[in-house]
Amino acid sequence: MKFRIAVTILIVALLLCGCSSQPAEQKASDGDSQKLEYSSISELSDVKRFAMCMGTIFDEIVAERYPDAKILYFPSPVDCALAVAKNKADACIYDAPVLQYIADCTSGVGVIPEFIMKDNYHFCLSKSDSSEWLQIEFNEWLAVQKQTGETDRMYEFWCSNAEPDTVFDFSALPDTNGVIRIAVSPGSRPDVYYFQNGFTGYSVELIYNFCRDRGFGGEIIVASDSMLPLLDTGKADIGICFLSYTEERAESIRFTDPILESGIGVLVRTDEKESFSFLNFLINGFTRTFIREGRWRLLINGLVTAMLITIGGFLLANILGIAFGFCLMSKRKVLRGIADVYDRVMQGTPMVVILMILYYVIFGNADIAGSWVAIIAFGLTSGAALARLFYVTVSSIDIGQTEAALSLGFSNARAFIGIVLPQATRMALPGYFSELIGLMKATSIVGYISVVDLTKAGDLIRSSTYDAFFPLLSVALIYFLISFALLSLLKHFQKMLMPKRVVAQKEETK
């Protein structure tokens, strides 16, 4: 019954949200006739809300030129564009080539036909001495590509609507000169975006051709919001995207020569009227989210990653929970003190902070996958919760039962396992499953450490489809179904562990 109610709520949400959504890639062809809400840069002084992509320098421009405007931060340029289209912001400042392509694929927005300022875009490297040779070699190669016109050809292709006929498989490159770890910050075409279970775009093709020509293999690492932490900690050798040069950034990272000369643009709303068909909305949304380019595989892979982290983290949490639970019950003050400090630190620190401290600080220079770091982080945080749960439930069992068992000749271990533990298990079961469900849902934050889980997979799909509704609904529905299954399993275990006489009494009262 509850399941049917939940499904009904989701369908109603689909109907309500769908009525205000327009499928991506359905932009009207008469875009040139659309009137922009702000038609020139000089009119931006009237803008009250700027949508800003995190990890960029464009907020400095707004703060300097429009001090009275409010800055709203979003994780990607696609989110910024959707915020403008849905009237959550009035304008978005970002790299002009990216904004123009987003505007061509998104209803209700357009780009002001002038730059707010000219700009050059670069790749970036760490400041370490070991990266200097890579900077020199890439600059030499890039100069040749510019002379032959190859970079212009590539840029024109990625600014068009033509689909690429190949996927850049870095693992297939000959690695005679080693492997370059490449940090990518997925955004939108023509820069870096997700396509057919991989990443492509102008920047990706550029670094792929460099690796191919110079005999390097390549390993793609997905950055969360910024590539700089990956470079600072040595987890990546080069970061690729349209990155602007600033003196402040140059203090921390190296810049290559410009890969592109363009400018910074402004995206605003238009007077375009959206035509809506609910049936087309369902068909187009489902096709783009799941069918086109095999994007369903990304969700499946993300789900598998999330479940593996959940299982691994919860197994570690059980080991730590039992160990520190016994420490909390110990008669030794030192053990109780250690367990209490561990509990306070883990329960008092946000999980995402612990996750990032482990990845960027404690394991900053270690060659360890982000999934393993996530397992350790979730094991530590959930272990503290299970230790407290273990301590509370065991302590709540009347000590007289243990004393009676000992008087009958039971050993301490036998009394605990045979009498105390079964009762404590029944009491702890709801909290135990609640912690498991909470851990499973918390895996949605592992994108902060470059792990593509279920939530991050939805973000990547969203950056390709320019549609937030279907990817987010799909992710939410998957989490809901897993939680529902775990709650059903909890009820089954509760019934199994319930004393038979209680079950019989409940059945008699029905």
Side-chain angles (χ1 to χ4, degrees):
M1 181 65 181
K2 292 181 179 179
F3 180 76
R4 287 197 293 269
I5 294 175
V7 172
T8 301
I9 293 174
L10 287 174
I11 292 175
V12 171
L14 177 66
L15 291 170
L16 292 176
C17 296
C19 293
S20 61
S21 299
Q22 172 74 8
E25 303 171 6
Q26 299 296 315
K27 183 84 169 184
S29 60
D30 58 344
D32 294 338
S33 64
Q34 298 164 13
K35 183 180 179 181
L36 300 176
E37 189 170 306
Y38 302 91
S39 58
S40 66
I41 298 298
S42 60
E43 296 179 10
L44 294 180
S45 56
D46 297 330
V47 172
K48 302 300 181 183
R49 302 169 299 172
F50 280 94
M52 201 65 56
C53 190
M54 293 185 291
T56 65
I57 62 170
F58 306 132
D59 52 352
E60 299 175 6
I61 298 175
V62 173
E64 179 182 350
R65 301 191 182 189
Y66 316 106
D68 296 331
K70 183 178 181 180
I71 299 177
L72 306 174
Y73 290 95
F74 296 90
S76 73
V78 174
D79 292 304
C80 292
L82 292 174
V84 174
K86 302 303 178 184
N87 200 23
K88 297 182 183 297
D90 302 311
C92 166
I93 297 179
Y94 199 72
D95 303 318
V98 174
L99 287 185
Q100 187 58 61
Y101 191 84
I102 292 177
D104 291 341
C105 300
T106 307
S107 295
V109 293
V111 178
I112 295 177
E114 58 181 307
F115 294 151
I116 196 170
M117 63 181 293
K118 292 184 178 180
D119 197 10
N120 294 330
Y121 301 123
H122 311 254
F123 288 166
C124 58
L125 306 94
S126 67
K127 203 72 171 179
S128 65
D129 295 336
S130 59
S131 68
E132 186 175 1
W133 67 270
L134 182 58
Q135 179 191 34
I136 295 172
E137 188 157 355
F138 180 82
N139 286 341
E140 291 176 351
W141 176 86
L142 181 63
V144 176
Q145 302 303 305
K146 289 181 178 180
Q147 290 176 359
T148 60
E150 183 65 14
T151 53
D152 293 335
R153 180 203 63 78
M154 290 166 51
Y155 182 66
E156 290 177 3
F157 172 81
W158 291 110
C159 286
S160 69
N161 290 322
E163 285 197 1
D165 55 3
T166 182
V167 175
F168 301 108
D169 185 6
F170 287 85
S171 62
L173 290 173
D175 54 357
T176 54
N177 293 325
V179 176
I180 296 177
R181 295 168 298 176
I182 305 162
V184 300
S185 184
S188 173
R189 189 170 179 170
D191 186 12
V192 179
Y193 69 103
Y194 181 80
F195 176 77
Q196 290 188 357
N197 300 312
F199 295 98
T200 190
Y202 175 78
S203 296
V204 178
E205 184 176 5
L206 199 64
I207 195 66
Y208 177 87
N209 291 346
F210 167 72
C211 291
R212 180 198 60 200
D213 295 344
R214 295 302 173 101
F216 294 107
E219 178 188 354
I220 295 293
I221 302 174
V222 183
S224 53
D225 299 320
S226 173
M227 300 177 296
L228 304 188
L230 294 173
L231 297 172
D232 288 339
T233 57
K235 294 184 179 297
D237 301 311
I238 187 170
I240 63 166
C241 71
F242 291 167
L243 189 67
S244 302
Y245 175 91
T246 66
E247 294 293 340
E248 183 178 6
R249 283 176 171 174
E251 295 176 0
S252 304
I253 57 176
R254 300 179 188 274
F255 286 89
T256 66
D257 290 341
I259 62 168
L260 179 66
E261 297 179 3
S262 183
I264 299 172
V266 183
L267 181 138
V268 296
R269 277 185 299 277
T270 68
D271 61 353
E272 178 184 1
K273 301 299 182 181
E274 297 183 1
S275 59
F276 179 77
S277 167
F278 183 68
L279 180 59
N280 288 337
F281 168 76
L282 289 178
I283 295 174
N284 292 333
F286 183 85
T287 301
R288 291 193 321 275
T289 302
F290 298 103
I291 307 302
R292 188 170 299 173
E293 300 175 11
R295 289 171 182 152
W296 62 271
R297 295 189 186 93
L298 186 61
L299 288 173
I300 295 298
N301 293 336
L303 175 60
V304 171
T305 299
M307 296 310 298
L308 289 176
I309 293 174
T310 300
I311 294 171
F314 203 61
L315 287 176
L316 178 60
N318 277 271
I319 296 172
L320 295 176
I322 293 172
F324 282 99
F326 277 116
C327 289
L328 288 172
M329 294 186 296
S330 175
K331 296 180 180 179
R332 297 186 179 182
K333 189 175 181 179
V334 175
L335 292 178
R336 293 199 308 273
I338 293 174
D340 188 60
V341 170
Y342 165 68
D343 177 67
R344 290 177 183 273
V345 170
M346 291 297 109
Q347 296 297 318
T349 308
M351 191 176 292
V352 66
V353 176
I354 294 175
L355 185 69
M356 297 180 73
I357 288 175
L358 285 174
Y359 188 72
Y360 291 114
V361 180
I362 296 178
F363 296 110
N365 296 320
D367 187 14
I368 179 173
S371 298
W372 286 106
V373 176
I375 288 173
I376 295 172
F378 292 137
L380 287 171
T381 52
S382 290
L386 293 183
R388 183 62 62 178
L389 179 65
F390 181 81
Y391 169 73
V392 170
T393 53
V394 170
S395 300
S396 65
I397 306 301
D398 188 1
I399 189 65
Q401 297 188 43
T402 301
E403 293 173 348
L406 294 176
S407 67
L408 293 174
F410 282 62
S411 64
N412 284 323
R414 187 181 174 190
F416 177 81
I417 295 174
I419 296 176
V420 176
L421 190 59
Q423 298 179 73
T425 300
R426 286 195 294 270
M427 295 175 59
L429 208 55
Y432 185 81
F433 270 80
S434 177
E435 186 62 30
L436 174 59
I437 294 172
L439 191 153
M440 182 268 299
K441 291 188 289 187
T443 59
S444 60
I445 66 174
V446 298
Y448 282 99
I449 60 168
S450 306
V451 177
V452 181
D453 71 313
L454 181 59
T455 302
K456 188 65 175 180
D459 290 340
L460 293 176
I461 293 175
R462 189 156 47 94
S463 68
S464 297
T465 62
Y466 306 99
D467 177 26
F469 182 69
F470 265 93
L472 292 177
L473 179 68
S474 302
V475 171
L477 183 59
I478 293 172
Y479 277 122
F480 166 76
L481 292 175
I482 296 173
S483 300
F484 182 83
L486 290 174
L487 289 173
S488 300
L489 191 62
L490 167 62
K491 292 182 179 180
H492 177 70
F493 279 136
Q494 283 180 317
K495 188 174 182 180
M496 286 178 56
L497 295 174
M498 191 177 295
K500 293 183 179 180
R501 63 178 182 275
V502 176
V503 176
Q505 290 175 359
K506 286 189 174 183
E507 290 179 351
E508 289 177 359
T509 57
K510 290 183 180 179

